[in-house]
Amino acid sequence: MSALRENALHEKFDLPGTDLARAACQFAEEQEEPYLFNHSVRSYLYGRALGEHRGLRPGADYDDELLFLSCVLHDLGLSAQDRGDQRFEVGGADAAARFLRERDVPEERVEVVWDSIALHTSLGIASRKRPEIALLHLGAGADVAGDGLDLVPADLVTEAEDLLPRLDLITSITDAIVEHAKADPRRAPLGTFPSLLVAEFAPEHARSSWRQVVAAHTASH
């Protein structure tokens, strides 16, 4: 990220300015396609705004740096550099944890970021966890699916999409998740978000159904 653009984002949106936060932002931009990086930063902006709507204050009710780290690193599992055998949420959590441990971040803080990223697509679970975890889930959901976006100030949405354009986010991220999962069936375990997308957009690559899994297990015993 150019120093000019980085400063513009920090000044416009009052992003966390710690050395670690800036390093994570730069790392994410280097690893990810622009549409994915932009989505990650918007997820933070919308998550923070949705927290404020709920009366949660950064620095008082949650750790703003941890929320930012979780958001800006949450889709590393879809980058070319982190193509392991895990679903993209877990792969991204592992990649974020490596980044933080290499910088001697205390393990209890690493754990919060790991949980936030690994759970960010988990409906009904992430929203009931601590604020840093819940707000990543809410912010990413607002940006991708529009859930709760009407509660985010309209001028913030306009400004965020101006400086961090969407760049055909929905098609691009759907394709990325599906292609990531198609390359290795272990990346789309039955019942996960990636497996649902594969079943819808690439049914020829879909894993066995629950009925088939149970039937196979029963037949072997």
Side-chain angles (χ1 to χ4, degrees):
M1 179 186 300
S2 70
L4 184 62
R5 183 175 186 232
E6 181 180 8
N7 289 334
L9 290 175
H10 278 269
E11 291 175 6
K12 185 68 173 179
F13 300 119
D14 191 26
L15 303 181
T18 64
D19 290 343
L20 181 60
R22 288 179 178 271
C25 196
Q26 182 176 355
F27 179 73
E29 187 176 45
E30 291 171 351
Q31 299 293 310
E32 297 175 346
E33 294 293 329
Y35 80 88
L36 206 54
F37 172 75
N38 290 357
H39 157 64
S40 296
V41 180
R42 289 196 309 270
S43 295
Y44 165 76
L45 297 175
Y46 299 163
R48 183 175 65 181
L50 290 169
E52 291 172 358
H53 178 77
R54 295 176 173 214
L56 298 175
R57 298 161 298 164
D61 299 304
Y62 65 89
D63 188 309
D64 196 36
E65 183 186 58
L66 284 181
L67 175 60
F68 183 76
L69 294 171
S70 299
C71 289
V72 81
L73 299 173
H74 85 272
D75 274 335
L76 286 177
L78 294 175
S79 71
Q81 289 75 13
D82 286 290
R83 299 273 179 173
D85 59 7
Q86 299 292 319
R87 51 192 281 196
F88 83 95
E89 305 97 324
V90 176
D94 288 344
R98 285 195 300 272
F99 172 86
L100 297 175
R101 288 179 180 130
E102 288 170 358
R103 288 154 181 82
D104 298 321
V105 174
E107 194 60 29
E108 61 269 21
R109 296 178 70 76
V110 175
E111 184 177 349
V112 174
V113 173
W114 194 96
D115 286 350
S116 297
I117 296 173
L119 292 171
H120 82 268
T121 64
S122 298
L123 294 171
I125 299 175
S127 61
R128 299 180 65 173
K129 302 289 283 182
R130 57 184 291 165
E132 297 87 355
I133 298 172
L135 295 181
L136 166 56
H137 170 70
L138 294 173
D143 193 46
V144 172
D147 295 336
L149 192 60
D150 58 316
L151 302 177
V152 176
D155 59 341
L156 174 60
V157 175
T158 299
E159 292 169 351
E161 294 190 359
D162 181 44
L163 286 179
L164 299 157
R166 293 183 65 80
L167 303 176
D168 199 20
L169 169 66
I170 304 305
T171 298
S172 297
I173 198 169
T174 300
D175 290 347
I177 294 170
V178 171
E179 290 303 315
H180 180 266
K182 283 167 54 178
D184 186 334
R186 292 174 296 179
R187 297 172 180 168
L190 184 65
T192 63
F193 178 57
S195 74
L196 294 175
L197 292 188
V198 169
E200 181 173 351
F201 294 99
E204 69 278 10
H205 290 273
R207 296 290 301 276
S208 299
S209 68
W210 173 248
R211 188 187 301 274
Q212 291 170 322
V213 170
V214 173
H217 175 71
T218 303
S220 67
H221 289 75

